[in-house]
Each structure stands twice: as structure tokens, then as C-alpha cells.
Amino acid sequence: MPKDGGIGDSTKRREDIRFLTGVGNYTDDINIAGQTYACFLRSDVAHGTINSIDTSAAEAMDGVVKIFTAADFAQAGGIPCGWQVTDRFGQPMQEPKHPILAEGKVRHVGDPIAVVVAETAEQARDAVEAIEVDIEELEPVLNMKDALADGATKVHDDLTSNLCYDWGFVEENREAVDQAIKSAHHVTTLELTNNRLVPNPMEPRVAVGQYSRANDEYTLYTTSQNPHVIRLLMGAFVLGIPEHKLRVVAPDVGGGFGSKIYHYAEEAFVTYAAKVVNRPVKWTSSRSEAFISDAHGRDHVTKIELAMDENHKFTAVRTDTYANMGAYLSTFAPSIPTWLHGTLMAGNYTTPLVYVNVKAVFTNTVPVDAYRGAGRPEATYQLERVIDKAAREIGMDPAELRRLNFIKPDQFPYQTPVAVMYDTGNYDATLDKALEMTDYANFESRAAESKARGKLRGYGLAHFIEACGIAPSNLVGQLGARAGLYESATVRVNATGSISVFTGSHSHGQGHETTFAQVVSEMIGIDVSLIDIVHGDTSKTPMGMGTYGSRSIAVGGSAMVRATEKIINKAKKIASHLLEASEADIELKDGQFSVAGTDKSVAWGDVTLAAYVPHNYPLESLEPGLEETAFYDPSNFTYPSGAYVCEVEVDPDTGKVDILGFTAADDFGNVINPMIVAGQVHGGVAQGIGQALLENTVYDENGQLLTGSFMDYAMPRASDVPSFSVDHSCQTPCTHNPLGVKGCGEAGAIGSPPAVVNAVIDALQRGGYNVDHIDMPVSPSRVWAAMQQG
Amino acid sequence: MTKITMTVNGKTRSGDAEGRTLLVQFLRDTLGLTGTHVGCDTSQCGACVVHVNGKAVKSCTMLAAEADGADVSTIEGQAAPDGTLNAIQQAFQDHHGLQCGFCTPGMVMSAAALLKDNPKPTETEIRHYLEGNICRCTGYHNIVKAIMAASGQDVGAIAAE
Amino acid sequence: MYNFEFVKPATVDEAIAALREEDAQALGGGQTLLPTMKQRLAMPSKLVSLGGIADLVGVSSDGATLTLGGATPHAVVASNAGAYPALAALAGGIGDPAVRNRGTVGGSLANNDPAACYPSAALASGATIVTNAREIAADDYFQGLFSTALDEGEIITAVRFPIPQRANYQKFEQPASRFALVGVFVAQYADGVRVAVTGAGNDGVFRWSEAEAALSGSFTPDAVDGLSLSGDDMIGDLHGTGAYRAHLVKVMTKRAVAACN
């Protein structure tokens, strides 16, 4: 039984109070006296040469403070890319410049050309409409395979082609995999698309720049998942501002899902412009603008082949993927289809040979980067779809085919053929749990009941593994990362015993203010209400890599644990002095330091007071004060896994898919706050259902975004999803971080799309339709069209 | 500019508005009530839902001038003056019905409108009623649960913690 | 949006006078107009709110005809049009609750969005659109996408729906906007059955005359089995091809008839 507010307790979230009463502090809620408003003129064509920009009429308009074009940023660097991928021939990827404002060419609808800074937002927009831009349209590059053809129009004239890189992994296995597939007993092949998604956190991006001439200091308030990373990238690579003169604040942030990781041009713009106009500059994205300026996600076109022997054991996997980079390389874009994708292609299985080829391609579309799951959903989707197809081809129960090929509990730690080593796992346990929770044994009777009502019922299973808490820094550095992937925390104990924890992780919905406090409360044994979690401000936390890749508790939490351990060690020294006992005999329990085997004790608050009022204190051997910082760099990824089951009903008249039930049995290792973990799974699953059934990003042949608002981009609504059944009782704790945690933020979005699609295919096949694949989103019209063919 | 006056959360509030000033802009920018949010520009996400004369409306799709003289309730007026959460707010906290908090004000206001018309809604009715409120974080599960709980119904039927 | 002058007259006459100004436009609930203006796709010089005219709001019935005031919000129709249950149900399914509290029947009919719900009800009911100047039969009123018989400055003051013996509306929603991908309104009157289709037609709402004839002969779902529509005449977009919409029209028609029986 967990203690109230400790590890394992479903402690209610403290951050809820401000959100529920309307006093949260989101970036758009920040208004600074004298602020101006920025409005971006964005390209309305996908590809073109800018012949001229005439701002003269606009400059004369009411309220215009200044108009900026690329010429104003001649001294600035481009928006940097944070990961350099090396191709399978040992060459670095092609890396085009990504200017703050378009230089000479526009490369996607939404590419910023000029910015008006004006007294009001409406005046800025009025003036934007008065800027005359002469653009000579060029043929847009949209289809990835066409883009790689000889003589194709180039997105970037200074590159040799539209190929960013041709990556092979593991390159040494290429021929062995080919051979294994050639000689296999059975090979299942599947060609599929992983649909491009728009992350759409409910809070659109906002940036407010401020500059003080008094001390030459800049402040950027921004909707970011990692303010320190923005400070580093923008300060060092774009604007040339040293860190001590640049403060980046990410206050309450209304969701991110990856799209707020990246350093965006608008952030650099408002920061720079604030100095030029010597007034604060605010930019607030509309939703329509977000659709053409926030990084998109996914967008892979893949062919996967799965080989097996006569005993149905997987012998090899070969996969070829075209990954859309969009027009420029967003911050982590190159790493997503490679290191976050190829390394997962072993899945939960003992497949001995895997080869992954990825061709990353530039197109005249919005840049593509990580979106919840980032590479791992793309890996899981193709693997779990092809396994399902294989099971049908050989007439085997899909659950049993998986089980037959699972890595077994006694095989951990398990070295995969794709570089990563799984530390722990028990895939049979999560599969058993999911089958039990969904009453798999009685599915046939439910299917019969649906059939009696004229509906087609289907059962879809997917198992997944992900790699979270990306690290260690020295390894990712070898793989091309241009940043470290540690996390830092400072634990400041105040004189009366309350604690402020400064973490480099950033909470934008994940509830860190509650869960992180629970960990410290458990470690020290003081009430959780005495602990505050501070995040999101570079002026408070020493350094941070931020929140993405389900890394917060595994990496940021570990840093906090390490700092807290330092605190406890020092406090024990103080306690041993106060208790006149050997330090080795001091025990900390429930906020009391006691001497083992005696009734002598001193309270936490007395020790902390002694640290700051060191009258009776070992000054000769110990500094006063009680504040410690730790940097934690993990030795490995963490590997959450789980089994997901979706049960659907297809309406054969309309093709509409109704999700009747969705069950997630996850292994997240140890769990700090079960309520919050369940909430993370719910949200991830809903996004996965969105990808599977509803969401799609569609460009027309001219490169115009047809799904540019919620009118055409189908966001999941409450009526589109069922109540979920989630379980995280199967726990194989991580062996290499102090909390034994694995991370839970992305799992739902990774495991759910194949479960949904597998269920739809199952329903159709049970209904007698010869349909073995439908690309996502499995919309009513696509299902109906497939039924006409099948 | 025209001066408009409305009762907001029980207090008379006045300010200048252009013809084009939206109710949400008047609330956020003129009155400083930033709890009401803007999440889209096509009247779909519902982050901006407030009550005007007792009816839920999307304040991003209503002119401030149309609310001249009206009685407006926003998220800031839902808790008791001493800060005690109302039943819906408390249920959202109890059942983890919010994560990033951005859609939450609209969700709470829509939930309040629902329960006024339908004090004991079924799960299906709640999901249908939330058609115009988009949440990207929670998958709606705990929002539905919170609204059922706020209406005094047993939420055991809706699984999970 | 571009700025404009806002006026809120208390009578229809004042509204008509205000609308005589060039580029003046009537504002119903604004649930379509305001988003359009936010995108700066419309720039009226003056918006004349119809929300302050008490005469324009209300639902009344004499048993044979249901009359809606032109500025009656969908939510009011949904709860007060019990005399014509299919119409009340249609109104209760438009948009979402907050949209239904603002959006009006007159606004919907004046806009004539090809995927809106109300046009199908008006057409299938043989409704009469009453304006400040005249009465227009629904069959004459709808003139293609976003196009109606209304003149500049003419406003819908009321809509009269003859109450059918039986009627039902079936909407298959476009998954993003939740407008009708296909909506079919079937209404049976003593002199025959009328079937109107929204969301699907290239030219907006239309009557499916073959189905009307078949259903007038036999008001059963099977009666339309032998009929088909051409996908070429239907909207094809990323949410569904013309062929899919044509198929859905038939499915929704059958469901509407089944729901009547």
C-alpha cells in the first residue's frame, strides 16, 4: 500500500487547481506593457522564386512599427538541425540552410517571407495584406519517389538532389537478410503508408520576445517543451546571444506531443525583433497558421517483408522506407526515421536478421519531425501489421504467432540485431493480460451477435516495444546527435525544511509537479505538500534537455533522485553531528533521522534549520546550506512494452468503423502515479485511434494543404473513442535507473494504430471480404472502397 | 470603438470594443480574463466556451457587441469566492479529467451547460454533447468519468484508475 | 477580421433600412459568417444583427404547419418543434450544443452551404421561405452552392414547414467538420413522398425524384433498391468520392424510411 503522496499513490494533481479556475499562465496570457504584435506573411504557393518584395505601401499603414524580410537577418544563422545522420556509404546527410525568413525561394505553403510588427494584431495583419510579393511559381516536389527520379525538380538548388540521406541499418546485415528472405519457407510482404499527421496540441504556438537595453538581456516566452534547448540552439546558432544574456521561459504549455520540441523561426524572430524595435514583440499563431507552420509527423511510405521458417519462427525482416522530411530539416527530423525507427524493427521478437533502409526526401511540404512516438509508431505499425498478415496467410492465430516468436523472460538482457539491448521485459505476461481483459476466448460469440445485427465484428491485437529516455549522450553523439541527452535537477532545501526542485524536464500536461514531488516525498518521508517542482525557466534550472520521448521520469526523475540522494547524504552528516552518532548509523525514515538501535532522533526540519543556522554544526568539515545539483546521463534506453487489443464493428453499408472496446496492457516498469499513467495511456491511444481512423494530412497536386483546419482535418472527438481498459500491473522494472521506471507518454500512440487496423481487417475478412490491407486513416470511404474490390 | 457593458461572473464590467471585437477578445484582452482560451479559428475546438444568458456559446464566434447587456459566466466565476472548486471542477481533479489544461475551461463550461439541461446524462449522451469540445490530451475517458461523477452517478462502470 | 460597423436593430423594418447600405450584411447567429470573416474571406462594411428582433424568434404550429421565426436558434427548434419531430431532431443534430445556441434557421438557409442540414428539411418539406418582401417556395429557393433566390438586403423572417405524416432525417457526418457528408430527409405527405439530399450534390441540395416516385408507390426501404445515382453528379473530395456519396444517399434514404416505419 503506497503512502499518501508517495510512490505508487494516485495523488491528485496540484497543477489542476490553476487550470480549473482559469488562472493558468499560458504564453498567450502574457502581455507586456508596450508590446507590439507580429504577423507573418507566408507563402501561398508550394514552390517558387521570389522576384521581389515591395513593402512600401504596407510601411505607410496605420500602426506599422517595422517590416522585416530576409535582408534583416543577413547576419543571423539558419535554424539549426540537431542531428546529423550518416548515410549507408559513410557520407553525411545533405543539410540545406533553413533561413528565418525565405531567402530567394519559398519551399512550402506557409514558408515565412516577411513579418510586420505593428501596434495591434489587426494592424499587423492589415499591413501583411498590403505587402506585394512577386513569386514565380516552380513545379512543386510532392511525391517522394518522383522526387528521387533523375532530373526531378529540386527543392534546394544547392543540393545534389532531393535525397537527404540513404540510410542502411544494420548495413553489414544487408546481404544476409537478402539471403534469408530468398531462402525462407514463407515470406509475407506488405506495402503501406504511415499517414502524415498534424500534432495539434490544443494550445497553438505563441512567442513573446523582450529586450532590455539596460543590461543587454533578452527574454523569450515561448510554448516549448524544452526551453534550455531553445536557448542553446537560438542563442548559439541563430542569433549569437550568449546564454547568460538570454532567458527562455516556457510557462504553462497547452500540450506538445513533439511539435513544441523544435526551435522555430518565429521564436528567433520575436527575440531579435524585440531588440530592433526596442519593444516587446508578440506572435500568436492561429490554428490555421499552425497547420502550415508547426512541424508535422509520420509520413512514411514503406515496404516490409517478413520471412519465417517451416516452424513459423521469424528468420528475417527487411524494410524499405521513404521518409518525408518536408522542405527543411526540423530540429530532430533526421533522427526520427533512422535511430528512433530502425532500432525498433526487432520488435518483441527473436528475429535474428533485420535490415532497414530509409531514404529521407525533401519535398515542398511543411517540415516533418517527431510526433508522439516518433519513429517507433512507424516501426511498430509495419511490423505488427505484417505479422498479422502473415498469421492469416499461414492460418495461425495472430496471438500465437507472436507468442511463438517472443523474446522470453529468461532471455533478458536481450541483444537485438538492431543495436539496442533490451534490459527487461515479459511479453507473454502483457499478452496474456490483454487476452484475459478482452475475453478473447469468447470473441466468436460476440462476433456472431454482431453478425445478427448486420455488423462485422473484428478483433485486432498488436504488441509493441519502444525505446524511451533516449541516451546515453556519448552513444547518441556517435550516432549524430548534436546535443547531450542527460537531464539536470537542483534540489533546494529551505531552512524550515520545504523543498524546491528545479528540473530541466518540462511539464505540459504530464503532471510532473505532482509525480516528481511524490518521488521526493517518498525518499525523505515528508509531506508532498512541502515540495514544489519548478520547471520551464532557464534562469532557474541550471540546464535541461526537456520533455519528449517519454524521458521525463526516466531521465529527469533520475537526476532528481540523484540530487535528492546528495541532499540526504549531507543531511545525514548534519544529523550525525546533532545526534552525536556515527554517520553510518543514521537512518532516515518518515522525515526523522534516527540512530540505528536507539531512540535518539532528530526531525528533518531541525536538520535543515541547522544547515542554514549553523550554530551547532560541523563547519570545519561541512559547508552550511542544503542545495544539490545532479546531472544524470542514462546508460541505456528504457524499453516499455505492451499488448493492445481493439475490438471494432464495421457497418457494411457505409464502411464506418465503430470502436467497441480498446484495451491496453502495458509494462512501464515501476509506476509513480497510476492515475496519471492511465491518463497518459488514454491520451496516447486516442491519438493512435485518430491516426488509424480519422486524421490525415492531404496536399493537392499544387502543394496546397487541403486539410488546413479542423473543418477537414478530423480530430478525434469524445464520440469517436470508447472508454478504455488499461492495466499496468505487469511490471519488469528498468534495471539501470534508480526508480526502475520506463516511461509511459508515447506508448498509447505507438501500440494502438496497428491494433485498430488489424481489427478492421479481421472484421472484413470474417465478413467474407478479401481485403488484407487498408491504409490509414481507415475512413468509411476507404473501407467501403476496399469492400467493393474485395 | 463603442463602449459595451456586460455582467461577467456577477460583476458589471465595461470596456471599449470595435465592431469586430470578438467576445473572447473582450474577455481576454479588455477584461483580462485569460482563463477562456482560443484553440482554433473555425469554431470547433470549444476551448472558448462561456455561458451567455445561461447558454453555452463559443466566445470566439460571437461578437462582443452581441453580448452587450448580457449576463456572461466564465471559468473564472465557477469556484466559490474562497476558492472552493464547484462540483464539476472538483470531479475533474478527482478523476484526472485534464492534463495540459488548455481545453479545460471550455470543457468545464460545456459540462455545466449539459448538467443544467440533463442532470443525469448517460456516457453516450456526454460523449455526444462534447461534440464541440476537442481535447488532445485525455482521450476523453476521464472527462466523461468526471462529468458522470459530478452528476452524482457511479463511475465504477467506466474502467481504470 | 476586417472592421465593420455593428448595428442591432429592434425591428425588421429597421434592419431592412440598415441593410440598404452598400456592403451591409445581415448577421444571424454568425456561426458560419464569423469564421469566414476571421479568415478575411468576407468584408462587409456593416453587420446588421438580427438577434435583437424579438419577432424573428419562435416556434409555432397550427397542426398542419410548423412556423419558425427566421432568427430562431437551432437549440430552440430542437426543444420546441415537437409538432414536427424529424425537424426538431435535425436541428438537435446540427454542429454542437454551443453552435446550436447561436446558429439560426434563417442563417443556415440564407447561406445554403451544400453540406448544411436545414436545406434538406426545407426542400423535402416543401417549405415556404418567408422574407420581408415575399414568400418563396423551397423548390424555387435553392439555386446552387451558397446561392439562393434571396435578393440583396432581403432577410428571412420565417420558414413555414408543412407537417408531414411521417418524416426522418439521416445524416452521415463528414468526420472533421461534422457537416453532412450525406444527409437525406424523407417526408411523407398525403400527396406523396419528398426526398431531399444534402452534402452530396455538385449543385447543392437536391430532390431525388426517382426515390420520391418509388417511395410514393411503396413507402418501404426496399422500394429504392433498384435505384441508383451517378457518382458523377456528386461531390468528390478527400472525405469521399462521388461514387461513395451516391452509395450513401441510397443507404441513408433506406435508413430514413426504415426509421419512419
Side-chain angles (χ1 to χ4, degrees), chain B residues 50-99:
Chain B
V50 301
H51 296 185
V52 175
N53 295 330
K55 302 280 186 195
V57 303
K58 293 187 162 170
S59 63
C60 79
T61 314
M62 179 172 182
L63 298 174
E66 288 274 43
D68 193 13
D71 186 8
V72 177
S73 303
T74 72
I75 189 67
E76 286 92 345
Q78 299 305 297
D82 70 354
T84 305
L85 302 181
N86 74 15
I88 295 169
Q89 292 170 311
Q90 189 59 56
F92 268 68
Q93 187 192 27
D94 290 348
H95 297 282
H96 191 26
L98 64 153
Q99 292 182 22

Side-chain angles (χ1 to χ4, degrees), chain C residues 149-220:
Chain C
L150 290 176
D151 291 328
E152 289 280 315
E154 186 175 13
I155 61 173
I156 297 172
T157 55
V159 189
R160 291 202 303 262
F161 293 86
I163 297 173
Q165 294 163 335
R166 290 183 289 186
N168 186 263
Y169 178 62
Q170 291 288 321
K171 174 162 68 164
F172 192 85
E173 290 179 346
Q174 193 258 57
S177 69
R178 309 283 163 141
F179 274 68
L181 188 75
V182 166
V184 177
F185 200 107
V186 173
Q188 185 185 36
Y189 290 90
D191 58 352
V193 175
R194 290 171 69 106
V195 178
V197 179
T198 189
N202 269 330
D203 297 321
V205 66
F206 68 93
R207 284 175 66 183
W208 187 13
S209 45
E210 292 85 354
E212 291 183 350
L215 290 167
S216 295
S218 165
F219 196 64
T220 62

Side-chain angles (χ1 to χ4, degrees), chain C residues 32-173:
Chain C
T32 299
L33 181 58
L34 292 177
T36 306
M37 290 176 64
K38 280 197 268 186
Q39 302 293 332
R40 296 196 165 200
L41 298 173
M43 52 183 309
S45 60
K46 178 189 273 190
L47 277 192
V48 180
S49 169
L50 305 180
I53 307 171
D55 293 350
L56 291 185
V57 178
V59 180
S60 63
S61 168
D62 64 4
T65 302
L66 182 94
T67 303
L68 305 180
T72 309
H74 310 322
V76 173
V77 177
S79 52
N80 294 358
Y84 191 165
L87 187 68
L90 173 146
I94 297 172
D96 59 62
V99 166
R100 291 196 287 274
N101 281 332
R102 293 293 301 163
T104 67
V105 59
S108 174
L109 292 176
N111 189 48
N112 191 20
D113 187 302
C117 296
Y118 262 122
S120 67
L123 195 57
S125 306
T128 300
I129 288 85
V130 183
T131 76
N132 55 297
R134 56 188 168 138
E135 298 191 352
I136 310 169
D139 282 322
D140 302 324
Y141 176 83
F142 299 104
Q143 302 192 343
L145 310 181
F146 299 103
S147 177
T148 71
L150 290 176
D151 291 328
E152 289 280 315
E154 186 175 13
I155 61 173
I156 297 172
T157 55
V159 189
R160 291 202 303 262
F161 293 86
I163 297 173
Q165 294 163 335
R166 290 183 289 186
N168 186 263
Y169 178 62
Q170 291 288 321
K171 174 162 68 164
F172 192 85
E173 290 179 346

Side-chain angles (χ1 to χ4, degrees), chain A residues 122 126 129 651 653-654 720, chain C residues 2 40 178 244 247 255:
Chain A
E122 294 286 1
D126 289 342
E129 292 182 358
D651 178 347
D653 292 338
T654 63
D720 293 318
Chain C
Y2 299 108
R40 296 196 165 200
R178 309 283 163 141
Y244 180 59
H247 168 76
R255 288 185 179 179

Side-chain angles (χ1 to χ4, degrees), chain A residues 691-703:
Chain A
Q691 168 163 32
L693 294 185
L694 295 163
E695 299 178 40
N696 201 15
T697 309
V698 182
Y699 284 94
D700 72 7
E701 67 279 9
N702 298 314

